[in-house]
C-alpha cells in the first residue's frame, strides 16, 4: 500500500470513528435532555433539540459516504500501481470473507440509519430506541474490520471488547462533542446557566461510565495483544502507538476531572467566566480525543507484537 493511500485510508477510518461516536453522543444527550430539560414547544429546550436533530442526519450521511469510500480503498490495497480492478477482485474483496461481511453489515445498517433519521426527523423523538439499535449494529460491523475480528481471540470475544471500547468512547467523548455542538451554543448565555449546569452535571455520570468502559476494554485488549510483555509494547510500532494513546488518555481524564470538580461547580454558582472556561476545557479535551482517534486509526493497521 502506498503512503498516500495509507494516509487516505487512515483519514477515512478516522471520519468513521468520529461519526460513530457522535451518533452515540446524540442519543445520550437526548436522554439527558429528556430527563433534565422540559420538552416545551418554544424556548431553549426546543432549540437544543432542533440542533441535535440537525447534527444526527448529516453525521449519518457522512458515515455512509466514508464507508463506501472505505470499500473502494480496500479494493485499491490489493492492486499494484497501474493495475485496474477486475469484477472478480471487487467481488472477492467486498463480498467474500469476514472483513467483507462486516463491511456489508455496517453499510446496510448505515443506509437504514440514514433513512430512519430522515423519516423521524420531524417527530422530535430523542433518544430513539430504534436509532440506538441501528447504531449498535453499525458499531458491531466496525469491530469486524480490525484486529478484534482476527484469530487472536476465541469466538467473538475480541469484537465484544472492541464494541465496548467504541461504545464507551461514544458515551464519553461522543457525548462531550455533541454537548459542545448542540448544547453550549444555545445554553451558554447567562440566562440559561442553570440549565447548562444541570446538563453538564448529568453528563458527568455518563462520562465516568464511558471512561470506565474505555479503560477496562482497552487494557483487556492491550493485555491480550501484547501477551503481557512490556518489551512487546516498547519494541513494536503497535506498542509505541498504544503508549502514546494512553498518554493522551491520561490528559483527557485529567481534563474530565477538571470539568467535573471545577467548571461544573462554577456553572452551578453562576460564575460569569464559567461558560468560557467550559468551552476552553471541552476544546482541549476533544482535541486530545481526536489525537487518540488518529492513533487508533494507525493501530488498526499496525502489526501486532510478534506478527
Amino acid at each position: 500500500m502506498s503512503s498516500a493511500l495509507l494516509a487516505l485510508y487512515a483519514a477515512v477510518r478516522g471520519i468513521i470513528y468520529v461519526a460513530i461516536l457522535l451518533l452515540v453522543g446524540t442519543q445520550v444527550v437526548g436522554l439527558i435532555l429528556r430527563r433534565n430539560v422540559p420538552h416545551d414547544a418554544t424556548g431553549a429546550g426546543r432549540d437544543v433539540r432542533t440542533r441535535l436533530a440537525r447534527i444526527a442526519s448529516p453525521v449519518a450521511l457522512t458515515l455512509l459516504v466514508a464507508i463506501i469510500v472505505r470499500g473502494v480503498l480496500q479494493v485499491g490495497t490489493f492492486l499494484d500501481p497501474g493495475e485496474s480492478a477486475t469484477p472478480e477482485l471487487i467481488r472477492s474483496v467486498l463480498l467474500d470473507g469476514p472483513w467483507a461481511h462486516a463491511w456489508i453489515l455496517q453499510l446496510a445498517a448505515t443506509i437504514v440509519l440514514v433513512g430512519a433519521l430522515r423519516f423521524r426527523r420531524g417527530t422530535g423523538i430523542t433518544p430513539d430506541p430504534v436509532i440506538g439499535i441501528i447504531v449498535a449494529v453499525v458499531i458491531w460491523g466496525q469491530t469486524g474490520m480490525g484486529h478484534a475480528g482476527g484469530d487472536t481471540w476465541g469466538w467473538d470475544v475480541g469484537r465484544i471488547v472492541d464494541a465496548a471500547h467504541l461504545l464507551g468512547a461514544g458515551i464519553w467523548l461522543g457525548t462531550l462533542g455533541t454537548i459542545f455542538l448542540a448544547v453550549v451554543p444555545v445554553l451558554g448565555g447567562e440566562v440559561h446557566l442553570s440549565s447548562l449546569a444541570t446538563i453538564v452535571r448529568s453528563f458527568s455520570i455518563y462520562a465516568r461510565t464511558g471512561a470506565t468502559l474505555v479503560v477496562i476494554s482497552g487494557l483487556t485488549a492491550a493485555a491480550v495483544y501484547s501477551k503481557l510483555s512490556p518489551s512487546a509494547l516498547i519494541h513494536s510500532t503497535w506498542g509505541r502507538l498504544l503508549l502514546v494513546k494512553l498518554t493522551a488518555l491520561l490528559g483527557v481524564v485529567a481534563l474530565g476531572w477538571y470539568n467535573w470538580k471545577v467548571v461544573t461547580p462554577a456553572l452551578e454558582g453562576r460564575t460569569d467566566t464559567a461558560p468560557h472556561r467550559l468551552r476552553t476545557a471541552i476544546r482541549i479535551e476533544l482535541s486530545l480525543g481526536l489525537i487518540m482517534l488518529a492513533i487508533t486509526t494507525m493501530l488498526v493497521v499496525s502489526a501486532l507484537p510478534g506478527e
Side-chain angles (χ1 to χ4, degrees), residues 23 56-64 106-123 128 130-131 134 138:
L23 288 169
S57 291
V59 168
L61 186 59
T62 300
L63 175 62
L64 177 59
Q106 189 180 61
L107 176 64
T110 305
I111 292 172
V112 174
L113 177 63
V114 170
L117 286 171
R118 290 185 63 84
F119 175 76
R120 295 171 178 266
R121 183 170 51 186
T123 65
D128 189 325
V130 174
I131 300 299
I134 299 172
V138 171

Side-chain angles (χ1 to χ4, degrees), residues 57-144:
S57 291
V59 168
L61 186 59
T62 300
L63 175 62
L64 177 59
V65 173
I67 291 171
I68 294 172
V69 173
R70 183 180 194 174
V72 174
L73 292 175
Q74 184 71 5
V75 173
T77 62
F78 289 87
L79 296 174
D80 294 325
E83 183 181 3
S84 300
T86 63
E88 291 77 13
L89 176 64
I90 295 173
R91 182 172 59 251
S92 174
V93 174
L94 298 183
L95 297 180
D96 299 331
W99 189 96
H101 297 160
W103 180 79
I104 291 171
L105 175 65
Q106 189 180 61
L107 176 64
T110 305
I111 292 172
V112 174
L113 177 63
V114 170
L117 286 171
R118 290 185 63 84
F119 175 76
R120 295 171 178 266
R121 183 170 51 186
T123 65
I125 300 174
T126 305
D128 189 325
V130 174
I131 300 299
I133 292 172
I134 299 172
V135 172
V137 176
V138 171
I139 290 175
W140 184 252
Q142 181 65 31
T143 65

Side-chain angles (χ1 to χ4, degrees), residues 147-173:
H147 294 311
D151 297 330
T152 304
W153 305 83
W155 191 58
D156 283 332
V157 175
R159 297 185 67 178
I160 293 172
V161 171
D162 197 29
H165 199 68
L166 277 172
L167 179 61
I171 294 172
W172 178 16
L173 296 175

Side-chain angles (χ1 to χ4, degrees), residues 2-90:
S2 68
S3 58
L5 185 59
L6 183 63
L8 180 58
Y9 207 156
V12 170
R13 281 197 306 272
I15 291 171
I16 291 172
Y17 283 134
V18 171
I20 289 174
L21 300 196
L22 285 176
L23 288 169
V24 174
T26 58
Q27 293 298 295
V28 176
V29 171
L31 183 60
I32 293 174
L33 290 174
R34 189 176 68 183
R35 292 179 175 177
N36 297 283
V37 179
H39 198 161
D40 51 354
T42 60
R46 180 206 59 188
D47 293 342
V48 172
R49 287 178 173 84
T50 299
R51 289 183 70 94
L52 198 60
R54 289 175 179 172
I55 289 173
S57 291
V59 168
L61 186 59
T62 300
L63 175 62
L64 177 59
V65 173
I67 291 171
I68 294 172
V69 173
R70 183 180 194 174
V72 174
L73 292 175
Q74 184 71 5
V75 173
T77 62
F78 289 87
L79 296 174
D80 294 325
E83 183 181 3
S84 300
T86 63
E88 291 77 13
L89 176 64
I90 295 173

